Amino acid sequence: MHKLLTLIKKEIREMVTWQVLVPALVMVGLFMFIGNVLGKEQAKAKAPQEVLVVNNDNSTTSRAMIEVLKKSNFKVNELGVAPLMVEGATAKERDKAIADATISQAKEKNISVAMIIPAGFGVGIDNFKPQKIETFTVMKNFNFQSSQTKAILDAAVASFNNFLSDQMISKKAGGGVPADYKNPIVRADTVIIGERQAAVSPGQVIGFVQGQATFVPIILFVIITLAATMIATAVATEKENKTLETLLTAPVDRRHIIIAKMAGASTVALIMAGVYILGFGYYLKGLGAGVGGGQLGEAAAQLGLVITPSGYALIGITLFLGILCALSMATVIGSFAQDAKGVQGLISPLMILLMIPYLLLLLVDISTASPMLKYLIYAIPFSYTFMAIQNVFLQNYQLLAFGIAYSFLFFTVFVLIAGKIFSSDKIITLKLNFGRKRKQVG
Amino acid sequence: MPTVLEVKNLSKNYGQLAAAQEVSFSVSENEIFALIGPNGAGKSTTIRMIATILSPSAGTAEVLGYDVTKEANQVRELISYLPEEAGAYKTLTGKQYLEFMANLYSNDKKIITEYINRGAELAGLGERLKDKINTYSKGMTRKLLLARTLMIKPKLAILDEPTSGLDMINAMEIRKIIREFSRQGMAVLLSSHNMLEIEFLSDRVAIIDKGKIHEIGTSVELKAKYNAKNLEEVFVQATRQV
Ligand SMILES: Nc1ncnc2c1ncn2[C@@H]1O[C@H](COP(=O)(O)OP(=O)(O)OP(=O)(O)O)[C@@H](O)[C@H]1O
Ligand SMILES: [Mg+2]
């Protein structure tokens, strides 16, 4: 026991270094940051949107339109046209002056959407003639925010259209509620997940889940790759420096050497998994600040799209086992390498094993995939790692349990293989050199 | 003198290559036994089989009656091995390395402390013992490793090229230490390419080439047999005959 503890202490000391901790901490920071940014963006989208309106018509209709805009959560900046009326100017010159003033005002006040209601607009509408509105969009970039700008413009024009068509319908139809004529069909959406259901549109649910589940596999991929490479390198370095030879001649149980290596690796895996869960929690919290509960939050809770403590535990166990699988495989890989450099080439099969489920699960729906593809995905332990959060959301408890059992089995097999290698002289003599001839022990 | 190591017809094949063929010799208490031979002769292969990390293809080796394959655990209690070109854990300090290794050889706190103190003294690194091993020079690392090997006072020390990479002064110091420990009862099996070192240190020498032992004897005996002035001449003649 004393010797085992000595070995474990040394492994932890060797493996839990700043090279491991710093990326892990950076990961938490990254999660927090992304969650925060997304949360803030969502909050921003909720805040009143600013538009610049130039009312060149000044009829009852156009004034009512601006009132409608104000009621629909827009902050309306009005630009007076009176100062622009130069005596003796032609209509064309006047229009140009108004447009120039609108643009410079929008830029000056940092408003991205502006529109001009032309003279005669109200009269035209009263006569049931479609009218033109000039719109101006100031684009500063082409990312998430620019699509926001487009949404503001669309929403403003839509609210105008809505108001005006309501007005026209009630004039022509003579009574009744205009909205009923426009949309005779009212949708009543229900989304079903497993045994649960909620009255919510499918689009909202997909948006909600994707917001939470996009970054997870990428970061998981990075963590597993990092941890596996680290362990394989640690074993290969011990071989290269011959510290392993010394260790193997000491009066210690060779199984203890493996157990200690695994304990060290597990500690790293635990730290990683813990950091990951912590980071993910912060990420969700950041997002949640924007969503702010509400109707969607309620629907999500009804659908079980909220991770409960037991859900977190299931995700944690699955992730931990996934990392352990990678670490045990990497230990075997490390014992095939002659030196730390050799690990780079040897670790590629493990990378491919990670890559397959990562890409497939992004692109393919397993429930409808061909049997071959399905078995391939289910045979790779990392599939369960990548699916963990989704499975908790979907209440696929059977698949979660199977994944945990399968990963554990996979891990055990590789630990036994590692044990076999370490307890024979294969640990010293095994070497695989790509490109060079393969030597085997007699 | 009681026999500590008894090697009989020890062989090791790597596929087609016979790295060691029917190697036989014995080492007794207080004795320093040296393996000499050209590069690739099979010295390290033989040594690693005795150190319980390579399993022999045929033959046996016993340390105080314990078989190196069947009773490897008992053998490991009796031996201490210094690999050729070995390093140490770079993230540890010299002191931490000695502590780590000492804890693997005993469960008794008092004995462990004794090992560590002896190791620190043998390493002769002074304050540098508190520095990380990755700041050590090659010679400093070698001294640390030799100190680690001898600090537990093994019944049999197995030293693969113990002074390679060391300057003359440090090599001399280490030879003296090995000799002193041997006088106190420790049996030593070592390999070397330095004939001066062999003449100075070893009681008996085995000349090994292409996996086979060609001669065994004291350096005086071997020099007489080959009518040579020194061991270097013996080495050249003995390995040329093959
Ligand atoms: N793991 C291995 N796999 C295959 N062949 C090996 C292995 N280790 C050693 N050999 C071969 O066995 C032979 C003996 O090697 P060994 O290391 O015992 O020589 P040595 O006498 O110690 O040489 P040196 O003086 O260079 O240290 C060499 O031909 C070597 O190439
Ligand atoms: Mg050698």
Side-chain angles (χ1 to χ4, degrees), chain A residues 147-170:
Chain A
S147 59
Q148 197 108 327
T149 314
K150 172 192 171 293
I152 295 170
L153 179 61
D154 289 349
V157 174
S159 70
F160 283 167
N161 263 328
N162 205 30
F163 167 68
L164 294 176
S165 75
D166 278 4
Q167 224 178 33
M168 288 174 173
I169 287 168
S170 43

Side-chain angles (χ1 to χ4, degrees), chain A residues 428-429 431 439, chain B residues 14 17 19 37-46 48 84 160-161 193 208:
Chain A
I428 303 292
T429 55
K431 45 183 143 181
K439 273 184 187 161
Chain B
Y14 291 113
L17 182 89
N39 293 124
K43 302 180 296 292
S44 296
T45 302
T46 305
R48 285 155 130 198
E84 63 183 334
D160 202 347
E161 301 186 28
H193 288 295
I208 184 169

